[in-house]
């Protein structure tokens, strides 16, 4: 029993010595590869170098290389920057750059936003949208073509003529509809929203107050015309006077003679009354 325990103890001791030797050799290799490796790094780095920045990151952080001039510096971030996508591996979490035409991406094969001049469709960035789709220059995506949609026609309006529903036999009636969906750039245009047709009704006399605005105006004009006719004197049958200057002079002489005769008659009457 004691021999078994002693043998187990030596086996465990040999195993621990082996692990220690492996860690020592790994540290030596790291020092040979990175002579300036430091364990006391800042900014989320697990190991770092004065020249290359972060060499490895703390758990859950992403490692990404940032270019500064001709030099690349390792940085550890909580999430990948725009234009990169993150991938988690057992030993490292790494940020990888998206494709050249992709601004943001989910992985190397699925873009979520394209760069200027490209349109997004099913995770791809395209120069032109496929057939049956059109480019939306606001969202920079390929979207379905939207055609115009209109509602059903309304019932026909009452038959009218010049705003009245009475005093005529033939008029017009109208119906309308509304636009439910306006079309996109390549969609079918909207149809007319109103329609008018001729109609025939049985003539009926307008009651008082049914003449409408135009009827009242016509009645007022008619009354004004009649009043203006009454104000003008009736010269029918009278010939316009076209007397010459000689005729007017003779007429004046005759009137003077008449006045003289009338004066003489008045004097003779007054003398006879005195006697």
């Amino acid at each position: 029993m004691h021999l078994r325990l002693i043998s187990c103890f030596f086996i465990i001791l040999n195993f621990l010595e082996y692990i220690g030797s492996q860690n020592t050799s790994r540290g030596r290799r790291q020092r040979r590869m990175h002579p300036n490796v430091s364990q006391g790094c800042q900014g989320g780095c697990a190991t770092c170098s004065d020249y290359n920045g972060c060499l490895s990151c703390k758990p859950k952080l992403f490692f990404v290389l940032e270019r500064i001039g001709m030099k690349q510096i390792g940085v550890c971030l909580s999430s990948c920057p725009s234009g990169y996508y993150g991938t988690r591996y057992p030993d490292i979490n790494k940020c990888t750059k998206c494709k050249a035409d992709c601004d943001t991406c989910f992985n190397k094969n699925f873009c979520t936003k394209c760069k200027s001049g490209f349109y997004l469709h099913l995770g791809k960035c395209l120069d032109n949208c496929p057939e049956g789709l059109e480019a939306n220059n606001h969202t920079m995506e390929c979207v379905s073509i939207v055609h115009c949609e209109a509602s059903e026609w309304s019932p026909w309006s009452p038959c009218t003529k010049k705003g009245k529903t009475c005093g005529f036999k033939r008029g017009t009636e109208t119906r309308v509809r509304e636009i439910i969906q306006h079309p996109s750039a390549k969609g079918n245009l909207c149809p007319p929203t109103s329609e008018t047709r001729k109609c025939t009704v049985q003539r009926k006399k307008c009651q008082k107050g049914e003449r409408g605005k135009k009827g009242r105006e016509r009645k007022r004009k008619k009354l004004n015309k009649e009043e203006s006719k009454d104000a003008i004197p009736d010269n029918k049958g009278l010939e316009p006077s076209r007397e010459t200057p000689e005729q007017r002079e003779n007429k004046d002489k005759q009137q003077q003679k008449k006045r003289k005769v009338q004066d003489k008659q008045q004097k003779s009457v007054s003398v006879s009354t005195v006697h």
Side-chain angles (χ1 to χ4, degrees):
M1 184 70 178
H2 290 289
L3 292 173
R4 287 182 180 179
L5 291 173
I6 292 170
S7 62
C8 288
F9 175 76
F10 279 109
I11 290 170
I12 293 171
L13 184 62
N14 291 331
F15 180 72
L16 292 174
E17 288 178 355
Y18 173 76
I19 292 174
S21 64
Q22 291 294 322
N23 290 334
T24 303
S25 62
R26 187 181 302 168
R28 287 173 180 172
R29 286 197 300 270
Q30 287 182 350
R31 283 193 291 273
R32 283 198 299 269
M33 293 173 63
H34 304 288
N36 297 323
V37 170
S38 172
Q39 299 293 332
C41 304
Q42 297 180 355
C45 299
T47 57
C48 58
S49 165
D50 293 337
Y51 183 79
N52 296 112
C54 292
L55 301 176
S56 63
C57 299
K58 292 178 181 180
K60 298 183 179 180
L61 297 181
F62 288 93
F63 178 81
V64 62
L65 288 173
E66 290 185 351
R67 181 175 291 278
I68 302 176
M70 298 297 293
K71 185 179 177 182
Q72 283 189 328
I73 301 294
V75 181
C76 294
L77 303 172
S78 58
S79 61
C80 293
S82 179
Y84 290 79
Y85 65 93
T87 308
R88 294 187 183 274
Y89 297 98
D91 56 341
I92 189 171
N93 302 326
K94 190 170 65 171
C95 291
T96 307
K97 195 170 181 63
C98 299
K99 290 183 178 180
D101 55 4
C102 189
D103 197 21
T104 59
C105 59
F106 180 74
N107 55 42
K108 66 177 181 179
N109 295 320
F110 197 93
C111 189
T112 54
K113 183 182 178 183
C114 298
K115 289 188 177 179
S116 179
F118 296 93
Y119 299 97
L120 182 66
H121 177 60
L122 300 178
K124 306 290 184 184
C125 294
L126 307 175
D127 294 324
N128 298 297
C129 292
E131 188 177 354
L133 300 176
E134 65 178 357
N136 186 323
N137 292 320
H138 179 67
T139 61
M140 298 305 293
E141 295 178 356
C142 294
V143 295
S144 300
I145 297 173
V146 179
H147 299 293
C148 181
E149 293 183 22
S151 66
E152 296 293 330
W153 286 108
S154 68
W156 287 101
S157 67
C159 193
T160 60
K161 184 177 182 180
K162 296 181 180 179
K164 296 190 301 179
T165 57
C166 59
F168 64 91
K169 186 176 181 181
R170 293 181 178 83
T172 56
E173 56 187 2
T174 305
R175 64 178 182 176
V176 296
R177 59 183 171 184
E178 296 180 352
I179 301 300
I180 299 174
Q181 176 66 59
H182 290 276
S184 59
K186 291 186 177 180
N188 295 336
L189 298 178
C190 292
T193 55
S194 65
E195 204 172 62
T196 303
R197 68 181 183 183
K198 294 181 180 180
C199 55
T200 304
V201 295
Q202 187 176 359
R203 185 190 295 272
K204 64 175 182 177
K205 193 173 182 180
C206 293
Q207 302 295 326
K208 192 174 182 180
E210 291 184 335
R211 295 181 179 275
K213 186 178 179 181
K214 292 184 178 179
R216 289 194 294 270
E217 288 180 356
R218 284 197 296 271
K219 187 177 179 181
R220 187 162 52 249
K221 288 179 181 179
K222 187 176 179 182
L223 290 173
N224 292 337
K225 192 174 181 180
E226 290 177 354
E227 289 175 359
S228 62
K229 281 184 180 180
D230 294 338
I232 298 173
D234 190 9
N235 292 329
K236 231 173 188 182
L238 296 177
E239 295 181 358
S241 59
R242 295 180 181 176
E243 296 178 345
T244 61
E246 294 178 356
Q247 288 176 342
R248 284 197 295 272
E249 188 177 354
N250 292 333
K251 192 174 181 180
D252 292 339
K253 287 180 179 179
Q254 289 177 0
Q255 288 177 354
Q256 288 177 2
K257 287 181 180 179
K258 285 181 180 180
R259 282 198 292 272
K260 286 181 181 180
V261 171
Q262 288 175 358
D263 291 339
K264 286 181 179 181
Q265 289 176 353
Q266 287 178 358
K267 286 180 180 181
S268 61
V269 169
S270 60
V271 170
S272 62
T273 52
V274 171
H275 291 292

